[in-house]
Amino acid sequence: WPDAPHRVLRSSVAAGEALGSAQRWTPEWPDAAYNGDVSSRALYAGTSVGSVLQRQSAAEIIAELTADL
């Protein structure tokens, strides 16, 4: 997302660039009707994305977050 004031994962930019002229550079998240390559769309990341240290399933993340409740 050239000149856009938001952060996206670098891999989504690379995937979009690989599509060349077929890429549609829009900041909108794909909805249920979208039928293109989702990895080449804006995959948003905030400043805390650097805190992610490993891949985990959603169940593992929820268990970790609720362990002390």
Side-chain angles (χ1 to χ4, degrees), residues 18 20 27 34 38 40 42 45 49 53-54 62-64 66:
Y34 183 73
V38 174
S40 66
V49 72
L53 304 176
Q54 63 186 359
I62 297 300
E64 187 178 303
T66 59

Side-chain angles (χ1 to χ4, degrees), residues 23-54:
Q23 174 63 6
R24 224 180 88 219
W25 295 103
T26 67
E28 291 84 28
W29 183 254
D31 60 17
Y34 183 73
N35 62 0
D37 182 4
V38 174
S39 66
S40 66
R41 296 303 302 265
L43 301 176
Y44 295 101
T47 57
S48 63
V49 72
S51 300
V52 176
L53 304 176
Q54 63 186 359

